[in-house]
């Protein structure tokens, strides 16, 4: 078992989702290859069958290779629903990067495939060709993200909440998490975790019982695992369990302070204040009291 691995099958569920999307892309490209071949014959420009298959397969291969990164961006951007400018900017940047990588990889594969067949592949005018592909890539990107959203909201890919980690109430949390402390694997209920903080090359888990466990992982990795369970980042070095939060008070500097039900108090940074309030379902004018 890897450090910090969950007892549930989060990995297989994510892989199953990506495989489902990849299968759909492969099927669409297979149909497009036959359609392209027939269309070329109709206009008097017949081509060897391998050519449209190479064109479609190269495109599909790159899109499938980009799916894990696209899914990671989808999950990360879901936590920014309270910051619409950041959410929109992340997807615009993701969309452009998706298209650049797709076109570049696709052209490279077509050139290699054509060379192996003794032919030469020419992409055409670079700018016009990219703009042409960009229009299609925008649609592909939107459709892929839509499939992720639907699958994670309605299907078995939902790992903790009813809305793909959007900070909504946890409907059916996993019964336990597995933590690896040195050579010992520990089974911990998420509700028993009060806070999680970075500690050099480790992450420290603090339990309500007073127990502390050092896990060799990163706080970023644990945030991705715990965020759907209601954990909120209040500082670059700390996450807290929103269900165990007793009080949240703002400071004149823009920072804030949280008090846990164990009596522990921690400072939150101004950088994470808006996201923490949004994930806890609080408005800025409610920051002087605990969540109801």
């Amino acid at each position: 078992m890897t450090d910090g691995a969950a007892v549930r099958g989060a990995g297989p569920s994510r892989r199953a989702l990506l495989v489902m999307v990849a299968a759909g892309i492969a099927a669409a490209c297979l149909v497009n290859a036959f359609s392209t071949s027939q269309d070329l014959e109709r206009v008097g420009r017949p081509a060897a069958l391998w050519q449209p298959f190479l064109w479609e397969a190269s495109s599909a291969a790159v899109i499938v290779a980009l799916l894990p990164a696209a899914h990671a961006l989808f999950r990360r951007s879901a936590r920014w629903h309270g910051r619409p400018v950041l959410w929109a900017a992340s997807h615009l940047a993701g969309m452009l990067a998706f298209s650049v990588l797709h076109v570049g990889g696709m052209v490279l594969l077509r050139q290699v495939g054509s060379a192996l067949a003794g032919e030469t592949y020419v992409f055409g005018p670079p700018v016009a060709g990219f703009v042409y592909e960009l229009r299609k890539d925008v649609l592909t990107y939107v459709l892929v993200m839509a499939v992720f959203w639907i699958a994670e909201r309605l299907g078995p890919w939902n790992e903790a909440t009813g809305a793909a980690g959007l900070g909504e109430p946890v409907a059916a949390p996993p019964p336990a998490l597995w933590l690896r402390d040195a050579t010992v694997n520990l089974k911990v209920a998420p509700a028993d975790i009060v806070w999680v903080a970075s500690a050099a090359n480790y992450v420290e888990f603090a339990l309500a019982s007073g127990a502390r466990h050092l896990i060799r992982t990163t706080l970023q990795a644990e945030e991705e695992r715990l965020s759907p369970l209601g954990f909120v980042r209040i500082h670059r070095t700390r996450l807290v369990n929103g269900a165990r939060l007793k009080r949240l008070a703002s400071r004149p500097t823009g920072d804030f302070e949280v008090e846990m039900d164990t009596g522990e108090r921690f400072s939150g940074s101004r950088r994470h204040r808006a996201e923490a309030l949004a994930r806890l379902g609080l408005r800025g004018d409610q920051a002087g009291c605990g969540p109801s």
Side-chain angles (χ1 to χ4, degrees):
M1 177 179 296
T2 58
D3 296 347
V7 68
R8 284 172 17 102
S13 293
R14 178 174 180 271
R15 285 195 296 271
L17 171 59
L18 297 181
V19 168
M20 179 187 72
V21 177
I25 292 171
C29 287
L30 182 64
V31 172
N32 286 342
F34 281 110
S35 299
T36 300
S37 178
Q38 293 175 350
D39 290 341
L40 290 174
E41 290 183 2
R42 287 197 191 97
V43 297
R45 296 172 53 195
L49 190 58
W50 66 266
Q51 289 182 308
F53 272 95
L54 173 62
W55 301 337
E56 296 297 334
S58 60
S59 176
V62 177
I63 292 175
V64 170
L66 292 174
L67 287 180
H71 188 253
L73 174 61
F74 168 80
R75 297 302 302 274
R76 179 177 293 276
S77 66
R79 297 199 297 272
W80 296 330
H81 70 290
R83 304 165 70 180
V85 174
L86 181 59
W87 180 89
S90 68
H91 278 293
L92 286 175
M95 194 178 297
L96 180 60
F98 178 88
S99 186
V100 170
L101 292 173
H102 173 233
V103 173
M106 174 186 73
V107 170
L108 179 61
L109 290 178
R110 291 179 181 180
Q111 289 175 338
V112 172
S114 296
L116 292 175
E119 301 286 345
T120 300
Y121 176 79
V122 179
F123 181 57
V127 175
F130 177 74
V131 171
Y132 172 79
E133 294 294 337
L134 176 63
R135 291 181 299 178
K136 296 190 295 182
D137 286 342
V138 168
L139 178 59
T140 300
Y141 181 90
V142 171
L143 290 176
V144 167
M145 290 297 170
V147 171
F148 287 158
W149 184 85
I150 294 171
E152 295 212 6
R153 189 176 184 88
L154 303 179
W157 334 106
N158 187 348
E159 297 174 11
T161 71
L166 294 181
E168 297 183 3
V170 177
L177 299 174
W178 281 99
L179 306 177
R180 183 180 178 86
D181 190 343
T183 60
V184 179
N185 293 317
L186 303 167
K187 189 177 182 180
V188 178
D192 292 338
I193 303 172
V194 182
W195 53 264
V196 182
S198 59
N201 294 327
Y202 294 81
V203 169
E204 182 178 13
F205 279 72
L207 306 186
S209 64
R212 301 286 189 271
H213 299 291
L214 285 176
I215 311 302
R216 191 171 182 83
T217 181
T218 65
L219 190 63
Q220 179 64 41
E222 291 309 300
E223 180 181 14
E224 293 180 359
R225 181 161 70 126
L226 295 172
S227 180
L229 303 180
F231 284 73
V232 182
R233 183 184 284 268
I234 63 168
H235 190 271
R236 66 180 178 82
T237 63
R238 190 179 304 276
L239 310 173
V240 297
N241 189 343
R244 304 194 71 102
L245 188 64
K246 181 179 178 181
R247 186 177 66 90
L248 188 153
S250 295
R251 293 173 176 171
T253 59
D255 296 338
F256 60 100
E257 180 183 78
V258 299
E259 181 180 354
M260 311 307 294
D261 59 5
T262 57
E264 297 171 287
R265 296 183 178 184
F266 303 106
S267 294
S269 65
R270 176 171 46 190
R271 174 185 175 187
H272 298 285
R273 181 176 181 273
E275 182 178 358
L277 290 175
R279 287 185 53 76
L280 291 169
L282 294 172
R283 302 188 306 272
D285 58 0
Q286 295 176 312
C289 59
S292 57

